[in-house]
Amino acid sequence: MARIPVFPRRDARLERRDAGLEPGGVDARHVRPVLGDERSDRERLHHTTVGERAACRTTFTFDGPYAPAVDVVRPSADRLDDALAVLQASEVAVYGTSDWSADELREEWKGLDVEQDAWLVEVDGRTAGVAHLHEQKGGRYFGDAYVHPELTDRGVGTRLLASLEERVRELRPDWPDGERIVLEAAHLVGDDRAPGLFAGRGFEYARSFFRMVIDVTEAQPDPFWPEGVELRPFEPDRDGPMLYDAEIEAFSDEWDYVVHEYDTWRERAFGPSGFDPRLAPVVWAGDEVVAFSRNYAKRNGNWGFVGTLGVRPAWRRRGLGLALLRESFGRFRETGETTVALGVDVENPTGATRLYERAGMRVLWQADVWQKELRAAG
């Protein structure tokens, strides 16, 4: 399974992006992800760290029926290393490396009620699986689960999916009246057994997300800024409300965008480790924020991360999305980063995948999101 870029705490692992529709490029829905041995050494991005969010963190190896020896327990601080080993191994098995780190898993557990919404599965005394449940928006719940590749075919994957669904059903008293209730989960493309298990448990394919990357070891082209706008140093306390308004407008048509109260949004936008205002270019026209890129150092992996990039609708098709990317690449390079990454919805309504390709980015992996309806609307 995979984490999709929708759950609010993460700002999305496979975060949605709204960079404005730029001309040219290739429709990323027809791009096959780079996997396994197909990648050259350069395409491996000097990503030496094994070990925060897809369009999606990922992988979940699926297997057969329940096994009597499967035990389910709750996470605890002394089990963090065991759980981390499962997360990392499950991703390495599919695409050769992992975005997970101990700090990111610790932050993940800190943001959860682990006694209710997190599980470890043990087989023969080994930690074999990990799962987390996050509420996204109203009636949409996202489950994030992983199985150690050495412990497949033991019923672990089945048990994790069952635990996620059982917990969402326990939350029935909190389900919003009249809304459709769905459980969402994802898997990395390349895990060939995943679609069968999802379909067998009543899930239907919903969406795909890409993790895209670029090597910024060499200097990138300078950004070009259209007339009437300027970059200004960003100060969260002073400028946060203007950025908040701009982001809501920029993402209003996104499939998985969640509008939060300002204080909640502010904590999620600026509170996570890795946020540095100096890495976040914000474009102004007078007193209005018209475009922005919330960037993070060493987020979601051993790279600079473009967390949320958006352009207000009235300012699209002027090159601001491309200029923001190039400005972001340059700022990351100045801090010593060699790789920059982001997540994107393949069906982003603004055509963001084409923009990212135009900027020189390429697909590292793809995660497919599946949904199971637990109650129809109305």
Side-chain angles (χ1 to χ4, degrees), residues 249-299:
E249 184 176 330
F251 287 103
S252 60
D253 294 329
E254 288 287 330
W255 178 66
D256 56 1
Y257 186 63
V258 181
V259 177
H260 296 286
E261 295 295 331
Y262 176 74
D263 288 344
T264 300
W265 172 87
R266 186 186 187 287
E267 175 60 27
R268 288 170 171 164
F270 309 139
S273 59
F275 179 75
D276 182 344
R278 294 170 295 182
L279 291 175
V282 176
V283 183
W284 297 77
D287 294 330
E288 180 183 54
V289 173
V290 297
F292 55 89
S293 186
R294 278 200 280 113
N295 300 334
Y296 299 83
K298 301 299 183 189
R299 193 75 171 163

Side-chain angles (χ1 to χ4, degrees), residues 14-278:
L14 289 174
E15 294 73 357
R16 43 284 147 234
R17 304 287 170 254
D18 188 346
L21 182 60
E22 301 287 346
V26 178
D27 187 341
R29 283 171 291 184
H30 304 300
V31 175
R32 188 164 58 88
V34 180
L35 294 171
D37 295 339
E38 297 174 339
R39 293 179 296 167
S40 67
D41 290 340
R42 182 176 181 82
E43 286 172 320
R44 291 182 186 277
L45 308 170
H46 312 289
H47 192 160
T48 57
T49 297
V50 174
E52 183 178 293
R53 271 250 355 173
C56 289
R57 188 66 109 212
T58 13
T59 204
F60 178 38
T61 303
F62 300 87
D63 38 54
Y66 286 87
V70 170
D71 296 315
V72 181
V73 299
R74 298 295 181 178
S76 58
D78 63 339
R79 300 296 300 275
L80 187 137
D81 288 344
D82 293 339
L84 180 62
V86 173
L87 304 181
Q88 292 176 339
S90 64
E91 293 188 335
V92 168
V94 177
Y95 73 102
T97 189
S98 173
D99 302 346
W100 276 102
S101 70
D103 286 343
E104 288 170 339
L105 179 56
R106 195 174 291 111
E107 182 180 330
E108 184 96 331
W109 286 358
K110 182 180 178 181
L112 290 173
D113 179 353
V114 296
E115 290 299 318
Q116 298 292 330
D117 298 326
W119 301 263
L120 301 181
V121 173
E122 298 176 337
V123 173
D124 297 330
R126 292 184 62 185
T127 303
V130 182
H132 307 137
L133 179 69
H134 307 271
E135 182 178 3
Q136 293 176 228
K137 178 182 180 181
R140 295 172 59 195
Y141 294 83
F142 172 63
D144 186 20
Y146 305 77
V147 175
H148 197 293
E150 296 176 3
L151 295 167
T152 59
D153 300 317
R154 308 286 188 94
V156 178
T158 302
R159 188 67 191 94
L160 290 173
L161 276 184
S163 295
L164 291 167
E165 183 175 338
E166 289 164 5
R167 176 57 180 155
V168 175
R169 292 187 184 280
E170 287 176 0
L171 294 171
R172 181 184 294 272
D174 299 327
W175 290 358
D177 293 341
E179 284 197 34
R180 179 174 180 253
I181 306 300
V182 296
L183 171 60
E184 297 180 0
H187 69 89
L188 276 178
V189 171
D191 183 349
D192 295 336
R193 288 176 291 180
L197 178 65
F198 275 125
R201 293 194 60 83
F203 286 77
E204 296 182 351
Y205 168 80
R207 208 81 165 190
S208 293
F209 290 84
F210 288 156
R211 172 61 47 85
M212 300 185 73
V213 294
I214 186 170
D215 188 331
V216 295
T217 305
E218 303 296 330
Q220 302 294 307
D222 291 332
F224 172 78
W225 302 104
E227 291 186 16
V229 303
E230 63 175 341
L231 286 176
R232 299 178 194 164
F234 179 69
E235 296 183 14
D237 290 340
R238 181 193 66 197
D239 303 327
M242 282 76 80
L243 180 59
Y244 172 74
D245 291 341
E247 183 173 310
I248 291 174
E249 184 176 330
F251 287 103
S252 60
D253 294 329
E254 288 287 330
W255 178 66
D256 56 1
Y257 186 63
V258 181
V259 177
H260 296 286
E261 295 295 331
Y262 176 74
D263 288 344
T264 300
W265 172 87
R266 186 186 187 287
E267 175 60 27
R268 288 170 171 164
F270 309 139
S273 59
F275 179 75
D276 182 344
R278 294 170 295 182

Side-chain angles (χ1 to χ4, degrees), residues 4-5 12-19 28-29 53-56 207-213 251 254 256 305-307 309 341-357 361-367 369:
I4 37 185
R13 284 283 187 196
L14 289 174
E15 294 73 357
R16 43 284 147 234
R17 304 287 170 254
D18 188 346
R29 283 171 291 184
R53 271 250 355 173
C56 289
R207 208 81 165 190
S208 293
F209 290 84
F210 288 156
R211 172 61 47 85
M212 300 185 73
V213 294
F251 287 103
E254 288 287 330
D256 56 1
F305 200 80
V306 177
L309 188 153
L342 55 74
V344 60
D345 180 349
V346 174
E347 298 179 43
N348 181 287
T350 66
T353 48
R354 296 193 295 273
L355 167 64
Y356 302 148
E357 289 173 330
M361 304 191 81
R362 59 191 177 277
V363 176
L364 177 63
W365 49 252
Q366 175 181 329
V369 180

